[in-house]
Amino acid sequence: MIDALKRTLLEELWDAGPNGITLMLNGLKVTIVVTLFAIAIGVVLGIVIALMRMSKKRSLNLTARAYTELIRGTPVLVQLLIIYFVVFQAFDVNKTVAAIIAFGINSGAYVSEIIRAGIQAVSKGQMEAARSLGMPHRMAMREIIMPQAIKNILPALGNEFIVLLKETSIIGFIGGNDLMRAGNKIRSITYEATIPLIATAIIYLILTLTLSHLLARAERRMKNSD
Amino acid sequence: MIKVIDLHKYFGELEVLRGMSEQVNRGEVISIIGPSGSGKSTFLRCLNLLEEPTSGHIYIEGTDITDPSTDINKLREKVGMVFQQFNLFPHKSVLENITLAPVKLGKMSVEEANAKAAELLKRVGLEDKIAEYPSRLSGGQKQRVAIARALAMNPDIMLFDEPTSALDPEMVGEVLDVIKQLASEGMTMVVVTHEMGFAREVSNRVLFIDEGVIVENKPPEELFGNPQNERTKDFLSKVL
């Protein structure tokens, strides 16, 4: 057991190469970077798509719907491979960047549905009351609808972030070196499966638990302001 | 003050308003009664374009509000509305509910709006609730705040859409008292209501609406005392 720990985590994995811990820490960095940037893209894209989806203009509405259906109807792995091997084939694009774009686009579809549901859950009377006082639509959205919608949106958005974090574990399929790939690499080099895989799982768990803890705190703070 | 000419409204295939014409003069209090589904709420909601009429014209203080070039937001500042379900903003305090629109729309400074809110809350008997959130108020209190909120914009006309229908019976009185007070101060009002006693006591005229048309349009003593139309008689016999 001690020997296995040494071989998988502490000793050089190959001549003048890193040890397992370094490899996993580097992978962890990639996982975190991809997740954070993909979330940022996902939220911005999600807001845009949600607004398009609720627009009265048919062309915008249809585009947003097609986008959502396309993304939700195909596996994220296929999307990742298409982005990297097809869309960016001609460009020498960094694997991490490709992954960020693929996961951002993917997450945008889910986030837009979360936002749309959150806005539509605010009672129709709120908009009517605001408009009846003479507020323009935009002001009513900003002052009345959105602050209430955020409270519906936040918990679901937190879930989406956690799902996204875990989904990034397929980055290895395009040759990116994320946390999952690091764990798996150690396994194939050392022929020792238990320690690297369990270690990988534990690190993911720590990440998701931290995320859900932060989100729970944010939610509590929102409740207090009621 | 309000002039409605041949108002029609369809919801899809269904014709809800089938040619209504009516005129409301300054200072008049009009009650609208009728069975549910008769179109009385839709008629009221057309008066500030919460529902868009399919055809016909509505003039408010001489402006045709059905004309697409009319600034509907400016018009709505002059026409206050009170809803059956109150529709207070749950994330805002009572004070903010009242001051939000006048301040954000640039009609008053924060100080002016705060002073106005305090005065209005005193009028509706809720000056001690100024810092509360709507979730801590009773239905009657919520509706009185909603009335204060609408009055904060200094409207010329007030529309009431079944203001007491969602209230527990013991709270109906406190809300009706506020509305009666307003009527006595000369506010022009259109009130959709199921409170026949209120309609009889406060209104200058009562409209009985059924199946999308104004069936009778008379002072309350005539309409309640001597209804002419069979449908009016039938309705009144059920509710009185």
Side-chain angles (χ1 to χ4, degrees):
Chain A
M1 179 71 185
I2 301 223
D3 181 52
L5 266 174
K6 262 192 194 161
R7 276 201 300 136
T8 52
L9 298 179
L10 301 175
E11 289 170 7
E12 287 179 0
L13 291 165
W14 59 86
D15 272 349
N19 64 13
I21 288 182
T22 316
L23 200 66
M24 290 187 93
L25 284 179
N26 286 338
L28 176 62
K29 257 186 244 162
V30 172
T31 294
I32 290 176
V33 165
V34 170
T35 304
L36 287 182
F37 280 96
I39 284 174
I41 294 177
V43 168
V44 172
L45 204 56
I47 291 171
V48 173
I49 301 290
L51 290 176
M52 285 169 67
R53 188 71 207 268
M54 288 181 297
S55 139
K56 277 188 189 130
K57 271 216 181 102
R58 225 177 119 72
S59 56
L60 290 181
N61 187 304
L62 279 180
T63 313
R65 266 170 72 171
Y67 172 81
T68 313
E69 293 299 334
L70 182 72
I71 297 295
R72 291 201 305 183
T74 54
V76 60
L77 177 55
V78 179
Q79 294 162 16
L80 177 67
L81 295 181
I82 290 178
I83 293 280
Y84 184 66
F85 290 113
V86 180
V87 178
F88 288 142
Q89 184 195 25
F91 314 93
D92 182 24
V93 93
N94 180 303
K95 288 175 173 130
T96 306
V97 174
I100 287 171
I101 292 172
F103 286 112
I105 289 175
N106 177 269
S107 177
Y110 291 94
V111 171
S112 78
E113 285 298 284
I114 290 168
I115 291 174
R116 189 172 68 98
I119 290 174
Q120 286 176 348
V122 178
S123 105
K124 238 180 87 200
Q126 291 290 310
M127 178 55 94
E128 289 184 350
R131 296 306 304 274
S132 79
L133 289 164
M135 288 190 209
H137 186 267
R138 210 171 250 269
M139 186 190 286
M141 276 308 257
R142 192 180 60 228
E143 301 290 335
I144 305 301
I145 306 299
M146 285 320 288
Q148 297 180 60
I150 298 266
K151 284 180 194 170
N152 306 328
I153 290 170
L154 209 67
L157 206 54
N159 269 337
E160 167 59 20
F161 292 169
I162 289 169
V163 169
L164 180 66
L165 172 77
K166 293 186 293 176
E167 265 179 357
T168 60
S169 62
I170 59 171
I171 293 176
F173 276 91
I174 60 168
N177 287 304
D178 71 321
L179 175 61
M180 181 69 245
R181 180 97 188 282
N184 204 29
K185 239 181 194 171
I186 299 170
R187 180 192 62 77
S188 66
I189 290 170
T190 60
Y191 298 104
E192 195 69 62
T194 314
I195 291 168
L197 293 184
I198 298 287
T200 304
I202 288 172
I203 297 175
Y204 274 116
L205 191 61
I206 291 171
L207 289 177
T208 53
L209 286 177
T210 312
L211 249 182
S212 52
H213 176 73
L214 288 176
L215 288 160
R217 260 184 38 186
E219 263 177 63
R220 259 203 309 274
R221 197 175 287 171
M222 289 242 149
K223 283 229 175 73
N224 287 343
S225 76
D226 259 347
Chain B
M1 193 104 185
I2 308 175
K3 194 170 178 188
V4 180
I5 300 170
D6 197 27
L7 188 66
H8 289 260
K9 171 71 184 174
Y10 283 85
F11 286 123
E13 295 282 291
L14 185 71
E15 189 174 16
V16 189
L17 303 183
R18 301 186 300 153
M20 287 189 174
S21 298
E22 172 58 22
Q23 189 162 342
V24 180
N25 299 316
R26 184 174 295 275
E28 260 194 315
V29 178
I30 307 293
S31 290
I32 302 179
I33 61 171
S36 52
S38 57
K40 52 192 193 305
S41 277
T42 307
F43 174 74
L44 189 78
R45 289 160 58 85
C46 280
L47 298 182
N48 66 352
L49 290 201
L50 280 185
E51 301 292 350
E52 227 168 284
T54 310
S55 69
H57 292 276
I58 300 169
Y59 296 88
I60 305 266
E61 295 173 346
T63 311
D64 185 357
I65 65 168
T66 56
D67 182 340
S69 67
T70 304
D71 181 351
I72 187 60
N73 296 320
K74 277 275 163 286
L75 164 101
R76 284 177 176 147
E77 290 180 9
K78 285 192 265 175
V79 184
M81 184 151 193
V82 173
F83 299 85
Q84 183 178 353
Q85 298 296 337
F86 330 128
N87 295 342
L88 290 183
F89 307 135
H91 59 302
K92 302 277 183 194
S93 70
V94 165
L95 176 69
E96 291 164 331
N97 261 279
I98 299 172
T99 59
L100 184 75
V103 170
K104 291 283 172 191
L105 291 168
K107 292 206 47 159
M108 293 176 200
S109 69
V110 176
E111 294 77 37
E112 285 171 333
N114 286 350
K116 178 92 184 169
E119 175 212 317
L120 286 169
L121 282 174
K122 202 165 184 185
R123 250 168 89 183
V124 300
L126 291 173
E127 58 267 55
D128 54 329
K129 301 290 183 193
I130 193 159
E132 287 289 3
Y133 278 82
S135 57
R136 314 237 332 190
L137 301 180
S138 72
Q141 291 170 335
K142 281 182 194 165
Q143 195 61 302
R144 285 186 279 157
V145 172
I147 294 171
R149 176 176 70 178
L151 290 175
M153 292 299 289
N154 289 323
D156 300 333
I157 300 167
M158 285 284 284
L159 309 176
F160 291 86
D161 191 0
E162 301 194 21
T164 59
S165 295
L167 295 177
D168 291 337
E170 75 269 24
M171 294 172 182
V172 170
E174 63 190 66
V175 172
L176 289 184
D177 284 345
V178 170
I179 302 176
K180 282 179 202 165
Q181 164 96 30
L182 262 181
S184 69
E185 290 164 10
M187 175 67 78
T188 310
M189 305 202 293
V190 183
V191 188
V192 171
T193 185
H194 290 295
E195 297 291 330
M196 297 304 148
F198 169 82
R200 189 192 296 239
E201 185 184 339
V202 182
S203 4
N204 303 97
R205 273 186 297 130
V206 179
L207 310 188
F208 174 68
I209 292 183
D210 193 20
E211 293 177 3
V213 292
I214 299 171
V215 178
E216 285 199 57
N217 177 359
K218 292 204 181 87
E221 50 279 12
E222 278 181 50
L223 190 128
F224 289 111
N226 184 19
Q228 295 302 308
N229 191 289
E230 278 309 314
R231 282 191 280 174
T232 318
K233 284 182 196 164
D234 184 46
F235 175 74
L236 290 176
S237 73
K238 280 178 191 150
V239 295
L240 288 180

